[in-house]
Amino acid sequence: MASEADDDEAAVVVGISDHMWLIQCKRERAIGPKKLLQYLDEIKLGENEKLHGIIFTAACDFSKAARDLFRDRCIQMGLQEWHIWGKGEVEDRLFRPENDGLLFAYFGVSLTIRRRSQRADLRSKLAMKRKANRLLGPKEHGSVLLRSPDALQYPYSAEIHNFERLPPWYVRRYVGLSHDGLKFSLHRHFAFLSDDGKSWDAMLCCHDATRLHDDPWTPEVNSPHVKRAEAWRIWNELPEQNKAWLDIEGIVPFDTVLDIDELGDECFSAPHAYVPFDGAHSKAFSRVLKAAPHSTVVASGSQTLRATRVERQSAHDGKHRDPRPDAPSRATTHIRSNAH
């Protein structure tokens, strides 16, 4: 059985083989080469103490000259290891996974929690994207009711003050998926495109973004059917090469779509998309395209779009019909807004 003296001797042997490190931390805005050497010269050791290594860290950056002098002085002092950590090195180490606990304890930031939050947000967006593709994909270019979850008066529009200007729900044509959300047609106007394909004009008195018979909340005063018939008559008299459509579309972000009711109800049997908004487009759409002078279309957030891409398609494909029952099918020019 080992004696108490043997234990003490073993402890001394272990202590002799240990390496002694010195760690100095400084909270200074700047430490130059001269001051750095001064800190090293001020290190005092006991009679039988031998310094193995040093870690010198400060909340500032060190110049190359300071780092070179630090290395040379450590060699002169007979140190086996030396490290100098400036602001950049400390931040790099804090953001390592093994130091996430320290980062959260001292700064309230956790990369692990942040990644979990990002993963949850991404899963939510992708889930809504898949759901929209499943429920609205077969009804592309059909009407959808964009509806605020706070609209408790639904479907009685007469109970809402200024419903025509700031409606808490309205019918729009679903265009399809975009990279950042659901794309809806906000306005579609009869337009004129010049022969050079650059200048254009549009009749904003009425729009074809929604089939009028699909919207039960269309006002009966100043019937839009009459306006559209007159606008179509004027537009139809244009030369074929100058006929065009001006499409203005908006994007509803995936993360703002609360849910989609594909069944509808007795007032509107097509799908309902629940989106928080107060009637203004800026609340429901992340990107809203609006007509502006000089043949441009300006998106919210100062992004500029120009009507430069021209495609040929049927003007009367069942979605935008001539009010005359015997009207022939015509080919027309379709203006699309493309970002630059």
Side-chain angles (χ1 to χ4, degrees), residues 190 203 205-208 212 223-237 321-324:
F190 294 112
M203 290 184 283
C205 59
C206 60
H207 70 84
D208 276 21
L212 297 176
S223 174
H225 297 273
V226 177
K227 290 184 179 180
R228 187 192 183 282
E230 178 63 18
W232 187 92
R233 184 190 64 78
I234 297 173
W235 180 79
N236 190 52
E237 294 176 356
R321 296 185 180 277
D322 185 335
R324 300 178 302 174

Side-chain angles (χ1 to χ4, degrees), residues 9 11 27 34 58 75 89 108 122 165 174 206 211 249 258 263 278 289 301 326:
E9 184 178 352
R27 295 186 61 183
K34 184 177 180 180
I75 294 175
E89 288 91 347
L122 181 59
R165 187 170 179 271
Y174 174 66
C206 60
R211 293 188 290 268
E249 299 171 342
L258 301 180
L263 301 179
D278 62 358
L289 312 184
D326 57 344

Side-chain angles (χ1 to χ4, degrees), residues 139-204:
K139 303 179 184 297
E140 192 166 310
H141 298 292
S143 295
V144 172
L145 179 65
L146 291 172
R147 178 176 170 184
S148 170
D150 299 323
L152 303 181
Q153 302 93 333
Y154 175 86
Y156 305 108
S157 58
E159 298 180 2
I160 300 176
H161 175 68
N162 206 14
F163 177 84
E164 293 185 16
R165 187 170 179 271
L166 295 175
W169 65 83
Y170 46 73
V171 179
R172 287 296 181 267
R173 181 169 58 91
Y174 174 66
V175 179
L177 292 177
S178 177
H179 69 278
D180 54 351
L182 310 181
K183 185 185 298 185
F184 290 89
S185 177
L186 301 183
H187 299 281
R188 196 171 200 245
H189 303 284
F190 294 112
F192 167 85
L193 184 66
S194 63
D195 293 335
D196 59 9
K198 297 180 180 179
S199 301
W200 58 270
D201 200 354
M203 290 184 283
L204 307 181

Side-chain angles (χ1 to χ4, degrees), residues 89-97 99-100 102-103 106-107 111:
E89 288 91 347
V90 173
E91 289 182 353
D92 289 343
R93 283 167 171 77
L94 274 176
F95 280 95
R96 289 180 178 177
N99 296 324
D100 193 61
L102 291 174
L103 184 65
Y106 286 96
F107 301 99
L111 298 182

